[in-house]
Amino acid sequence: KAAQMARPEFIAAYPITPQTVIVEKTAEMVESGELDAEYVRVESEHSAMVAVVGAATTGIRTFTATSSHGLALMHEVLHWTAMSRLPVVMVNVNRALGPGWNIWADQSDSTSQRDTGWIQLYCSDGQEIFDTIVQAYRLAELEDVQLPVMVCFDAFVLSHTSMPVEVPEQSEIDAFLPRRKPVWKIDPADPLTYAPMIPPAFYGDMRKNMHQGHLNALVRFPEVCQEWKERFGTLRGDLVEEVRCEDAEYVIVTMGAFGAEARVAVEELRKQGVKAGLARVRMLWPFPDEVFRRLAPGRKFVVVDRNVSVGAGGALHSQLMSALYGYADAPVRGFIAGLG
């Protein structure tokens, strides 16, 4: 529904469990006329992203979704999308990678794509998924960002459960997210050379500029979330959702569906006299270093990852350790749980 209300003009998709229901529903919307878009059924996830890239270069808004091995198959084109500065939005339903085959939750599919240049956002419930997809388009299309965004949520725990969601009127979404205004596009009436061979000096400039886009996203996403709150009244935090962190001695750090359980855990621990809080990461990439540097003094962090960077441990744990290095001596304990 969120993808429909964002008014994409082009959708390319290949089904993969547990993402399938998303691309089936968008296909039904296009077929019924509820969504005015071109829908292309492709032969693989790699082709889905290639088709989306081609459409996005013409200046229109696009959408696709994937999961697990489908995301892995897109890897090459994820780099291309980001370096082309195309504000593509894609939903990734986090699912374990094989072998052996496993269709349950594991965020390693998306955490393994951190260096492709995509912004990554993680959701903990149905309302947040709806809100974040629309917010992602707004963020991606900002002139000083111009980067693709991956909206992630856990397989089955969120993808195949029903929750009540407040859905604004289409006119309200249109006011928040007007039609895309491309910074550049391919146009037969104004031909240009796109993606030619590039000398090393210019390539370095492009990488630096893309990095700056990520730094800009850390500033602009809280602004997007605040405007959303003012318009629609819902807010699950911006870069990080902070729950009872003001006087917390122990702060649980996690992301995705674990965030909902962590909120309950914090309240239970408080009843037991433990001053616990929650810092649930919404934007994993770029990582919100400054938020945790602010929270660190006088606190102990307990990180629960639903992913593993093999050889390094949990991705969230390693990012937090890196963010605090040289800035704070806060103890950080890491755990990995809930894989597959």
Side-chain angles (χ1 to χ4, degrees):
K1 185 65 176 179
Q4 175 199 13
M5 298 186 78
R7 296 189 186 275
E9 297 174 78
F10 180 89
I11 301 168
Y14 188 86
I16 179 171
T17 303
Q19 157 265 41
T20 308
V21 65
I22 299 172
V23 296
E24 287 180 342
K25 289 296 183 183
T26 51
E28 290 173 6
M29 289 175 179
V30 172
E31 181 67 18
S32 67
E34 294 177 73
L35 175 56
D36 184 13
E38 183 77 15
Y39 192 102
V40 178
R41 295 167 295 172
V42 291
E43 70 275 13
S44 74
E45 292 87 353
H46 185 283
S47 299
M49 186 51 64
V50 169
V52 164
V53 166
T57 60
T58 68
I60 64 173
R61 188 171 290 154
T62 63
F63 178 73
T64 190
T66 192
S67 183
S68 185
H69 288 271
L71 182 64
L73 186 55
M74 289 179 175
H75 177 74
E76 174 193 13
V77 197
L78 297 183
H79 281 281
W80 188 276
T81 313
M83 188 66 104
S84 300
R85 307 304 294 273
L86 298 172
V88 171
V89 171
M90 172 172 65
V91 166
N92 179 65
V93 184
N94 290 112
R95 191 198 105 182
L97 292 150
W101 288 110
N102 188 312
I103 59 173
W104 302 96
D106 180 343
Q107 297 161 348
S108 301
D109 57 350
S110 55
T111 58
S112 67
Q113 304 297 330
R114 283 172 290 168
D115 288 340
T116 58
W118 283 61
I119 295 167
Q120 292 192 13
L121 303 173
Y122 289 77
C123 303
S124 68
D125 59 45
Q127 183 69 58
E128 188 180 11
I129 293 168
F130 178 92
D131 296 355
T132 303
I133 290 171
V134 182
Q135 293 167 2
Y137 278 106
R138 178 68 179 274
L139 176 66
E141 294 174 8
L142 291 171
E143 188 169 348
D144 59 349
V145 176
Q146 293 293 304
L147 287 165
V149 180
M150 191 183 303
V151 178
C152 303
F153 54 89
D154 294 323
F156 293 95
V157 181
L158 293 177
S159 66
H160 283 63
T161 53
S162 297
M163 303 179 187
V165 174
E166 293 184 12
V167 178
E169 296 295 327
Q170 182 66 61
S171 60
E172 296 175 311
I173 296 293
D174 292 342
F176 176 82
L177 182 67
R179 187 181 179 90
R180 180 188 167 195
K181 295 180 179 178
V183 174
W184 67 274
K185 65 178 180 178
I186 291 178
D187 183 355
D190 183 22
L192 55 83
T193 301
Y194 167 63
M197 294 296 291
I198 186 167
F202 291 106
Y203 177 80
D205 287 343
M206 288 176 65
R207 299 295 290 189
K208 182 179 180 181
N209 187 265
M210 186 167 69
H211 177 69
Q212 185 60 52
H214 274 263
L215 298 182
N216 294 345
L218 287 168
V219 176
R220 301 303 299 275
F221 189 57
E223 297 173 355
V224 169
C225 294
Q226 185 58 38
E227 182 181 342
W228 181 272
K229 180 184 178 181
E230 292 170 359
R231 286 178 178 269
F232 306 113
T234 54
L235 181 67
R236 286 279 192 262
D238 41 58
L239 303 174
V240 176
E241 179 191 22
E242 299 177 32
V243 178
R244 304 197 72 167
C245 286
E246 297 84 359
D247 64 340
E249 296 176 3
Y250 300 90
V251 176
I252 301 170
V253 182
T254 192
M255 62 186 186
F258 275 174
E261 283 81 359
R263 290 189 206 103
V264 176
V266 164
E267 296 306 321
E268 290 298 318
L269 287 166
R270 287 278 176 165
K271 291 176 184 177
Q272 297 171 28
V274 179
K275 291 185 176 180
L278 166 65
R280 180 180 63 86
V281 173
R282 292 193 68 209
M283 180 180 282
L284 173 67
W285 208 252
F287 192 73
D289 294 359
E290 295 300 327
V291 174
F292 287 98
R293 291 169 186 168
R294 170 178 56 79
L295 286 173
R299 296 186 173 93
K300 300 177 178 67
F301 292 109
V302 180
V303 185
V304 185
D305 271 293
R306 195 178 214 151
N307 63 77
V308 56
S309 292
V310 179
L316 190 53
H317 177 247
S318 61
Q319 286 301 141
L320 180 54
M321 293 286 285
S322 176
L324 297 182
Y325 183 76
Y327 290 89
D329 295 325
V332 181
R333 186 77 180 271
F335 299 89
I336 295 173
L339 301 184

